[in-house]
Amino acid sequence: MIVLGIETSCDECSAAVVRDGHEIMSNVIATQIELHKPYQGVVPELASRLHTEWIQQVVEAALAQAGITRNDLDAVAVTSRPGLLGSLLVGVSFAKCYASALSIPFIGIDHIRAHLYASQIENPLEYPYLGVLVSGGHTVICRVEGYDDVTVLGTTIDDAIGEAFDKVAKFYDLGFPGGVVIDRLSQKGDPTAFLFPGPSLDESHRFDMSYSGLKTAVINQKDRFRRPDAEDTPENLAASFQRQAVGILMKRVRLALKETGLKRISAGGGVAANSLLRSELKALEKSGYTVTFPSLKLCTDNGAMVAGLGYRYLKDGITSDAHLSATARVTAFKKK
Ligand code: KG4
Ligand code: ZN
């Protein structure tokens, strides 16, 4: 079965064609990065306008690159939640019309589940596993028992991890998108030049995280945390911030592995492209865990993860009706 996946939840306008949930026939990502760069952040109104202008061409390019026509499609899957409402609405409206015109099913997809599914496309991992979803909007540690069966164990109580990367980079004018720039600068920095504090949350928040304290320390009080002999350079600052941002997450990941007894781990989302996080997760393999994450292109927002997950629902006979609309907020997750 061939599924068209459409992703417009934030600033990437993407469409992909995936066969049987794992064979990526095309994955076109039209990025708006250059257009949001002057503002050093995503401007929601601009993002939705650009999606409206681009979506048709992006879908046509995805079909052409896959070497198929629209009549070969078996379903259209689209991210319907969560994300920027205006951006989501463009994708959802387009997908609904497209599917209806072709008389094929339309499937609304949850963005968080799609990110978690991304590594399943390339490296299928047996359920259950510990899911680590880290992006610009979400920071979630969860127990994943099936493509739709996700129980949240811990989440951020304030900023998302990617948001912290982006805000630190914006404040120091390092470049956009912040995560990529900080990752690159960190390669040349001393991660112990600044010893930033981590959050101390009470027992009821055992698996939860907080990034606003770290962000504030880096932005407002960096000198307090600098080793006296260390230089105050962007590279040292980036490496020290990154070390603690990843450290906060890894501490909860280790605790969750210990307490759940899960032996497999899979990460997803834009921050799963981070080199330090990837190496720290990979290092868990020495302790007997199986670790997977998507290739870099499938970490950040893309249509292939939406099409791939769409296939799973389609195969199980689960489709959406024409009344489904976009929802900005996270909904429908089991809690531990
Ligand atoms: O998954 P994604 O494309 O969009 C959301 O669902 O939010 O993630 C975007 C986030 C941004 O915050 C970006 O700075 C971050 O992923 N990011 C990274 C890296 N590449 C992208 N953060 C740290 N290191 C990276 N290499
Ligand atoms: Zn995302």
Side-chain angles (χ1 to χ4, degrees):
M1 278 192 275
I2 300 181
V3 178
L4 170 69
I6 296 177
E7 159 61 47
T8 63
S9 68
C10 191
D11 60 334
E12 312 288 15
C13 187
S14 178
V17 177
V18 175
R19 196 200 304 265
D20 296 339
H22 62 85
E23 186 197 332
I24 301 178
M25 299 169 74
S26 66
N27 188 18
V28 176
I29 304 173
T31 179
Q32 301 179 356
I33 285 178
E34 286 305 315
L35 294 141
H36 293 283
K37 219 173 221 172
Y39 313 97
Q40 292 190 55
V42 176
V43 182
E45 179 63 24
L46 182 58
S48 51
R49 279 168 194 262
L50 291 167
H51 286 313
T52 311
E53 283 174 28
W54 294 0
I55 183 95
Q56 170 103 26
Q57 293 167 58
V58 169
V59 166
E60 278 169 14
L63 294 177
Q65 283 186 23
I68 61 164
T69 73
R70 63 181 79 133
N71 296 319
D72 296 317
L73 295 172
D74 292 295
V76 181
V78 62
T79 303
S80 61
R81 67 173 196 224
L84 300 172
L85 190 58
S87 291
L88 286 167
L89 277 169
V90 177
V92 170
S93 313
F94 186 92
K96 261 192 214 176
C97 295
Y98 211 73
S100 152
L102 294 169
S103 302
I104 56 175
F106 144 81
I107 307 156
I109 296 288
D110 177 89
H111 188 70
I112 294 178
R113 288 181 173 86
H115 271 308
L116 288 168
Y117 186 78
S119 74
Q120 294 285 53
I121 296 179
E122 301 165 312
N123 308 300
L125 188 62
E126 214 180 299
Y127 296 110
Y129 62 77
L130 191 80
V132 180
L133 165 61
V134 279
S135 73
H138 311 285
T139 314
V140 178
I141 295 175
C142 49
R143 183 185 173 89
V144 185
E145 305 211 45
Y147 68 83
D148 187 59
D149 190 350
V150 178
T151 304
V152 173
L153 302 173
T155 182
T156 178
I157 59 165
D158 40 55
D159 293 349
I161 182 168
E163 191 181 349
F165 272 89
D166 294 339
K167 286 184 175 164
V168 164
K170 182 174 180 176
F171 184 83
Y172 288 107
D173 217 1
L174 300 177
F176 175 80
V180 180
V181 181
I182 289 182
D183 195 353
R184 198 178 56 232
L185 285 172
S186 297
Q187 313 294 328
K188 293 188 191 133
D190 171 2
T192 64
F194 296 82
L195 296 169
F196 293 118
S200 48
L201 304 177
D202 66 36
E203 187 50 27
S204 65
H205 287 288
R206 236 159 55 262
F207 302 131
D208 288 334
M209 291 145 279
S210 162
Y211 281 96
S212 75
L214 172 62
K215 176 193 69 186
T216 307
V218 177
I219 289 178
N220 295 333
Q221 305 168 315
K222 69 176 163 60
D223 295 328
R224 243 183 85 193
F225 301 105
R226 182 161 59 87
R227 243 185 30 230
D229 60 322
E231 260 189 89
D232 182 0
T233 61
E235 289 80 5
N236 283 351
L237 189 69
S240 305
F241 160 75
Q242 179 173 280
R243 170 176 166 264
Q244 186 56 291
V246 170
I248 291 169
L249 178 72
M250 286 306 298
K251 190 169 165 191
R252 274 73 181 174
V253 167
R254 285 190 201 96
L255 185 66
L257 286 171
K258 196 166 147 215
E259 294 204 9
T260 59
L262 291 167
K263 292 285 175 238
R264 291 177 287 271
I265 312 147
S266 181
V271 184
N274 183 266
S275 53
L276 178 64
L277 178 59
R278 287 171 95 89
S279 70
E280 297 234 338
L281 284 171
K282 208 71 194 150
L284 292 170
E285 289 188 338
K286 286 192 216 111
S287 313
Y289 294 100
T290 305
V291 182
T292 64
F293 25 67
S295 58
L296 294 183
K297 193 173 176 186
L298 292 191
C299 284
T300 43
D301 292 347
N302 66 88
M305 65 185 188
V306 178
L309 181 54
Y311 164 79
R312 299 287 151 199
Y313 287 105
L314 185 67
K315 207 166 141 240
D316 287 347
I318 303 166
T319 59
S320 304
D321 74 33
H323 299 293
L324 182 90
S325 191
T327 312
R329 301 187 56 170
V330 177
T331 51
F333 279 102
K334 290 191 276 182
K335 285 256 163 80
K336 66 172 184 303

